[in-house]
Amino acid sequence: MPGTKGETEHNKLQFVDTLRALAIMGVLLVHVSQHVDGLNGWLQKGLSLGAKGVALFYLASAFTLFLSLSRRSGDRKERISAYLVRRFFRIAPLYYVMLIIYLVVNGTGPRFWLGDQEGVTVANIAAHILFLNGLNPYWINSIIGVEWSIAVECMFYLCVPLLFKLIRSIRHAAWFVMGTLLLSFGLNTVFANAPWISDHPLWGHYLYLWFPNQLPVFGLGILLFLIWKDERHWKSVDRFSGELLLGSILFALCTGMTDYLIGVLLLLGAYALYHWQPFWLLNRGWSWIGCLSYSMYLTHMLALEIVSQIELPFSPVVNLTLMFVMTLLLTTGLSWLTYSWIEQPGIRWGKKIISRMKSVRSQEDSVKESVA
């Protein structure tokens, strides 16, 4: 484990930001490939793995959330209210702006994610504002087209304070990973045969996207943090924890839960990135993209909509390459604006509110001490 605060901060920025950068690159690649005709079947299938970039986002998120809470655990003034304010102002300002923009651009009419619903309703919009769209298969992804992961992320945010208190060791994390894997398999098995809606294809997509199915990957992120935190790293994994994790892999193999297996590979890759520190991945360029990754995630569908209007007369692979580069450049430009004018001010607002909350609490504590 890094010995100083400066080293910890360096590892966080260079290591986790690169994970986020790789994640957004994967998401961009898979969405661009969906707009290119004539791609080889195997190539298309390989490119579809870019969608697992979202799992990499979750892995990085769980890691950084536990890192943040561990660094603030000694602050007596740091309470759950401050944590929630910090998370809200990290996510909400840009998200709300993009909801408005996508509603203006795309309207409220029918679309794939609405299934047999006629359009986006007021209740649907309200659920998005409250980050509850993940609870309804018709709402989970029906405005922006990628907001399902934000709904899942916010559900995890609510669980983190309790998980941070309960998961204090690698063995605890191993139990959590195994437990959530079994929970995911059980719920998906039951609800696959008991759909809530008549649109069966949409219901199948929902069971893939919903929170219980994504929870094991968050567990792997927590596990990564605890391994990273211990000075012995992988040597800190005791025999029972190792057997439990091996059991989870075998269970996933037997039940066809390939997403969990990919999550395990992402965990190993993330640790390898931290351990070997390759300069071609850990540098300012990747860190910069990592910092922009949230903005890029929310703006890239707009950029792709613009780029996809361009008719390219080349081979499918060349068209894919050109579209990807154009989408990346346009998305980066848009994201720099949203990052500078929306994301960063939102984070500063959250910090100011937390500072005022702590100031008020300090005054209240002083009054109580003087009365006592």
Side-chain angles (χ1 to χ4, degrees):
M1 176 180 172
T4 67
K5 180 179 178 181
E7 289 176 319
T8 301
E9 192 66 23
H10 170 78
N11 283 316
K12 175 187 174 184
L13 293 174
Q14 294 291 307
F15 158 53
V16 184
D17 281 347
T18 296
L19 294 181
R20 293 193 181 104
L22 294 172
I24 190 59
M25 288 298 181
V27 171
L28 272 173
L29 190 59
V30 70
H31 285 157
V32 169
S33 70
Q34 292 170 355
H35 287 75
V36 178
D37 296 325
L39 288 173
N40 177 277
W42 286 103
L43 178 60
Q44 187 74 60
K45 190 172 183 179
L47 292 172
S48 68
L49 292 174
K52 308 310 175 187
V54 175
L56 195 52
F57 274 128
Y58 290 159
L59 196 78
S61 176
F63 181 96
T64 53
L65 286 171
F66 265 61
L67 173 63
S68 176
L69 288 178
S70 68
R71 293 176 60 184
R72 292 186 170 94
S73 59
D75 186 355
R76 293 185 300 172
K77 299 175 185 177
E78 183 75 14
R79 298 183 181 179
I80 292 180
S81 57
Y83 163 81
L84 293 175
V85 168
R86 186 178 292 106
R87 292 296 95 210
F88 178 83
F89 281 94
R90 174 67 184 90
I91 293 292
L94 178 60
Y95 176 63
Y96 289 160
V97 170
M98 297 312 297
L99 282 177
I100 295 171
I101 291 175
Y102 277 92
L103 283 170
V104 170
V105 172
N106 297 327
T108 59
R111 61 203 68 184
F112 171 80
W113 287 106
L114 285 174
D116 53 14
Q117 301 291 293
E118 295 182 358
V120 178
T121 62
V122 173
N124 186 344
I125 297 172
H128 275 77
I129 293 172
L130 297 173
F131 302 102
L132 298 176
N133 53 299
L135 300 178
N136 187 309
Y138 292 122
W139 298 349
I140 189 170
N141 210 34
S142 57
I143 295 180
I144 299 176
V146 293
E147 72 271 28
W148 69 272
S149 64
I150 297 174
V152 169
E153 182 82 25
C154 288
M155 290 182 187
F156 181 66
Y157 284 169
L158 296 178
C159 300
V160 167
L162 177 60
L163 294 177
F164 184 73
K165 290 184 178 181
L166 296 177
I167 303 176
R168 310 300 294 177
S169 67
I170 289 175
R171 179 171 292 194
H172 292 162
W175 274 115
F176 179 74
V177 168
M178 187 63 174
T180 54
L181 189 66
L182 293 173
L183 177 68
S184 173
F185 176 78
L187 289 177
N188 276 15
T189 300
V190 170
F191 286 111
N193 299 309
W196 301 346
I197 60 176
S198 58
D199 190 326
H200 292 281
L202 184 63
W203 180 245
H205 286 294
Y206 178 69
L207 290 182
Y208 174 77
L209 300 180
W210 73 331
F211 180 59
N213 197 52
Q214 306 299 324
L215 197 50
V217 177
F218 285 111
L220 291 174
I222 296 172
L223 178 65
L224 176 63
F225 167 75
L226 291 169
I227 291 172
W228 172 88
K229 181 182 177 182
D230 195 293
E231 294 179 356
R232 297 172 297 158
H233 296 298
W234 287 102
K235 293 180 181 179
S236 61
V237 180
D238 62 274
R239 181 176 178 178
F240 179 80
S241 299
E243 292 174 349
L244 200 58
L245 292 171
L246 178 60
S248 71
I249 294 173
L250 294 175
F251 179 80
L253 281 170
C254 293
T255 55
M257 300 181 72
T258 55
D259 284 330
Y260 175 75
L261 298 174
I262 292 173
V264 172
L265 292 177
L266 291 176
L267 181 152
L268 295 174
Y271 181 81
L273 179 66
Y274 162 75
H275 182 70
W276 280 299
Q277 301 279 310
F279 72 92
W280 49 279
L281 282 175
L282 295 180
N283 53 58
R284 290 183 179 181
W286 284 107
S287 291
W288 185 65
I289 295 174
C291 289
L292 295 181
S293 60
Y294 179 54
S295 278
M296 292 178 72
Y297 186 75
L298 287 177
T299 61
H300 80 274
M301 297 297 280
L302 287 176
L304 182 55
E305 186 65 28
I306 296 171
V307 172
S308 64
Q309 302 303 315
I310 303 173
E311 294 288 341
L312 297 174
F314 308 108
S315 68
V317 174
V318 174
N319 288 344
L320 172 69
T321 304
L322 291 175
M323 281 192 67
F324 177 78
V325 172
M326 289 187 290
T327 303
L328 176 61
L329 292 175
L330 183 55
T331 299
T332 303
L334 290 173
S335 299
W336 175 247
L337 294 175
T338 56
Y339 177 78
S340 302
W341 293 97
I342 303 174
E343 267 197 79
Q344 286 300 296
I347 293 172
R348 288 195 292 268
W349 294 339
K351 288 180 178 179
K352 288 179 180 178
I353 292 173
I354 293 171
S355 179
R356 290 173 184 173
M357 290 167 56
K358 289 184 176 181
S359 177
V360 170
R361 194 171 296 122
S362 296
Q363 293 176 7
E364 291 175 350
D365 291 342
S366 298
V367 171
K368 290 179 181 179
E369 290 177 1
S370 63
V371 171

